[in-house]
Amino acid sequence: MSDRILSLKDRYRENPGWYWLLATIFLFPILPEYISPFILFIGFIVFKRQWTREGKKAKVGTLGKMMMGFMTLALISVIWSDTRFSTFSTAMLWWGMFLVEVMIYNLARSRQKIDRLLSLMVISGALNGLIGAIQICTYTLYRFGNIPKGLVLATPFYRGLDKAVYGILPFEISTKMWTSRASGFFSNPNLLATYMVIVFPISIYLFLNAKTRRQKVTYFIFNVLISAGLSSSMTRAGCFIAIFGWIFMFIVLAKKYAKPMLEIFIPTVIVIIPSILTRYGVIFKTVGKVSGGGSGGIEARQSSSTHFQIWESLINYLINHFKELFMGTGFGLEQTGQILLNEYNLNKPHAHNFILETWVELGIIGVVIFFAVIICDFGKLLEINANNGKKFTLVFCVFTSTLCYLIFGLTDYIFNSPKQIIFLFILLGLTQAISYCYEKTLITDSKSLKDVAAREIQNTIHQK
């Protein structure tokens, strides 16, 4: 045992930044929002000191430079923002979470290290899924009178600590609770669902490429737990997106992986479908209530109707305000919430759509820059010559994770907290790391784009 500890200490001394990156990736989705960022900040300081000692310069890559352009615009928007403190603090939060992308790009420069990061993401996702499943199961047992209230696992997990910490802050932070919807280690169900839709495709990649039967069983269980976590959140969009993600992956991977993809789909459906039926009030009507009242089916329909009201209201606002249409109102959610409340009598904190929210905050200019980043991200994945099974599934799973993350953002705002924001930078960092490690053909013009697309179609058809 002592030899193992000494060996670990030696490995840490050789590359301390890497181990802090591992800790950040694993712990960020598990620790509270007000603790997780400090793990990243400490880790980045360790990484930067290591790089300085070794005479290296930290690189940000093409995607990093583009994101810096977006975040610079966010910071500059303080000038015309009516909520300057909110704008400045939100912009600085994005700059802080950006550090993880820099660490991944500089430290994860081998295929083994990329797989290590993906494994830790899935493990932390499975732990969240396990906690979420326990939360919803104990709550259901309590609602049916099978166990006392004291045995219900708190939702959110850090409920007591959250109230204590937020209570001493000089500004107000909502501590609204969703007792009938699980949130795992996150502060609300939608945050849990965000992470689950990201790690769901990654768990499939690890399952498909498991080298031993033990690994295969382990990743199968992790996938089931992630599905359970998504189901326990009772987030309709998340559940539908997970099923969409599986169908999308099955269509592309069926030629080589049809059997294992079907194996993993059976528990996914068994776990997720009941959540959708419960949310619409088809089954378990007595547990389909959320704080605020109303049966599951009525609440779900009201939620959809409210989303449409929010979108219609904000589009109307932008069309009738020329400056905001092009430059936005300033980065951060506070101004959006004020517009919805004061102009349209809707007491909602954000646009429930990341495109519309970005449009309100940074105008058309911000939307264009952000989409340029996303297009470049997908382009970098497309550039990679995925000419064997593992490489193809790796590239495709990261693409699917990013796609599911963004699709989920069409019905909910996916940059609402440090945990949600860092997911974007983790995915961008992984794309850059994969692009560095694998052979690729750069896309420089329409001809190279056509050639790369044709090659990837052939790779899809002729998977080895």
Side-chain angles (χ1 to χ4, degrees):
M1 184 67 177
S2 59
D3 291 339
R4 187 174 296 178
I5 294 174
L6 288 173
S7 175
L8 181 60
K9 286 182 177 179
D10 289 338
R11 292 199 299 272
Y12 173 80
R13 291 192 189 100
E14 290 176 4
N15 196 356
W18 169 246
Y19 287 94
W20 274 97
L21 175 60
L22 294 179
T24 300
I25 296 297
F26 176 69
L27 293 174
F28 216 101
I30 293 176
L31 296 175
E33 301 273 5
Y34 37 82
I35 295 177
S36 294
F38 294 102
I39 303 296
L40 170 60
F41 300 151
I42 294 170
F44 185 80
I45 292 171
V46 172
F47 155 72
K48 193 65 176 67
R49 289 183 62 186
Q50 176 188 345
W51 246 229
T52 302
R53 186 173 63 250
E54 295 176 3
K56 299 177 182 178
K57 290 185 178 180
K59 299 178 180 179
V60 298
T62 304
L63 290 177
K65 291 175 183 176
M66 295 177 72
M67 277 306 305
M68 288 174 70
F70 176 81
M71 295 185 297
T72 298
L73 174 64
L75 203 52
I76 293 173
S77 71
V78 171
I79 297 171
W80 61 82
S81 173
D82 291 334
T83 54
R84 293 185 176 180
F85 176 76
S86 173
T87 297
F88 178 77
S89 57
T90 304
M92 292 309 297
L93 177 62
W94 276 66
W95 278 97
M97 297 304 100
F98 170 69
L99 300 178
V100 79
E101 180 180 346
V102 179
M103 291 180 71
I104 292 173
Y105 181 49
N106 286 270
L107 292 166
R109 296 213 156 184
S110 72
R111 303 171 188 184
Q112 293 78 16
K113 287 184 175 181
I114 292 170
D115 276 355
R116 185 82 178 275
L117 293 178
L118 295 176
S119 295
L120 288 175
M121 289 176 68
V122 168
I123 293 171
S124 63
L127 288 173
N128 267 286
L130 176 62
I131 294 299
I134 295 173
Q135 287 171 333
I136 198 67
C137 287
T138 53
Y139 174 79
T140 303
L141 290 172
Y142 159 69
R143 285 299 300 268
F144 281 105
N146 294 311
I147 63 172
K149 189 175 182 180
L151 293 180
V152 177
L153 184 60
T155 301
F157 185 83
Y158 298 109
R159 177 189 292 186
L161 185 60
D162 288 348
K163 288 184 175 180
V165 171
Y166 295 149
I168 62 175
L169 293 177
F171 47 86
E172 184 179 354
I173 293 181
S174 174
T175 55
K176 180 181 178 182
M177 306 301 175
W178 287 261
T179 55
S180 62
R181 294 173 59 194
S183 56
F185 291 110
F186 292 85
S187 57
N188 78 51
N190 288 344
L191 270 65
L192 172 63
T194 305
Y195 195 50
M196 297 297 99
V197 298
I198 290 172
V199 294
F200 180 77
I202 296 174
S203 69
I204 293 177
Y205 157 74
L206 294 171
F207 173 74
L208 296 178
N209 291 281
K211 295 179 180 179
T212 66
R213 179 171 177 78
R214 182 177 179 180
Q215 287 180 348
K216 200 172 189 68
V217 171
T218 299
Y219 289 124
F220 179 86
I221 293 172
F222 286 169
N223 180 268
V224 172
L225 289 174
I226 290 167
S227 298
L230 189 53
S231 177
S232 68
S233 74
M234 292 197 181
T235 305
R236 292 164 296 152
C239 292
F240 284 123
I241 288 168
I243 294 174
F244 158 79
W246 179 90
I247 294 171
F248 182 48
M249 294 184 77
F250 181 80
I251 292 171
V252 176
L253 303 175
K255 182 176 180 180
K256 183 176 180 181
Y257 298 103
K259 183 178 178 182
M261 285 295 292
L262 288 171
E263 288 175 356
I264 213 164
F265 184 62
I266 295 172
T268 297
V269 172
I270 292 174
V271 170
I272 288 179
I273 293 299
S275 175
I276 297 173
L277 296 177
T278 299
R279 193 70 199 280
Y280 282 102
V282 178
I283 59 175
F284 296 121
K285 294 182 181 181
T286 57
V287 296
K289 294 183 179 180
V290 295
S291 53
S295 71
I298 295 174
E299 187 274 333
R301 289 189 289 273
Q302 288 177 340
S303 176
S304 297
S305 175
T306 302
H307 283 181
F308 285 113
Q309 290 180 47
I310 292 170
W311 300 337
E312 183 180 357
S313 299
L314 290 176
I315 291 172
N316 175 267
Y317 180 85
L318 289 168
I319 291 173
N320 289 285
H321 293 79
F322 183 80
K323 181 179 77 70
E324 287 78 2
L325 179 70
F326 286 94
M327 298 177 61
T329 61
F331 205 51
L333 302 177
E334 187 174 344
Q335 188 69 8
T336 306
Q338 290 182 10
I339 291 170
L340 288 170
L341 181 61
N342 299 332
E343 301 284 337
Y344 301 98
N345 198 31
L346 291 169
N347 188 18
K348 297 297 176 181
H350 50 69
H352 285 274
N353 179 293
F354 82 94
I355 300 174
L356 192 52
E357 182 65 43
T358 303
W359 192 0
V360 173
E361 294 179 15
L362 295 177
I364 291 176
I365 298 172
V367 172
V368 169
I369 296 175
F370 188 83
F371 268 88
V373 175
I374 299 304
I375 292 169
C376 183
D377 177 76
F378 287 151
K380 282 193 168 294
L381 292 172
L382 185 63
E383 288 175 345
I384 298 166
N385 184 16
N387 55 359
N388 65 58
K390 182 173 182 180
K391 192 191 303 184
F392 185 88
T393 52
L394 171 62
V395 171
F396 187 62
C397 93
V398 173
F399 173 85
T400 305
S401 287
T402 307
L403 184 64
C404 289
Y405 177 51
L406 296 175
I407 292 175
F408 185 66
L410 297 178
T411 60
D412 192 61
Y413 188 55
I414 50 175
F415 309 127
N416 198 28
S417 74
K419 288 187 176 183
Q420 285 184 306
I421 295 167
I422 201 173
F423 298 154
L424 171 66
F425 292 113
I426 289 174
L427 290 169
L428 294 176
L430 286 170
T431 295
Q432 293 201 133
I434 294 169
S435 177
Y436 174 84
C437 292
Y438 288 95
E439 176 191 351
K440 55 187 175 293
T441 302
L442 296 179
I443 299 174
T444 56
D445 51 33
S446 58
K447 183 180 184 304
S448 59
L449 174 60
K450 181 180 177 181
D451 292 341
V452 167
R455 183 196 64 199
E456 291 310 309
I457 292 172
Q458 290 300 313
N459 286 338
T460 304
I461 297 171
H462 304 292
Q463 293 179 56
K464 297 179 181 177

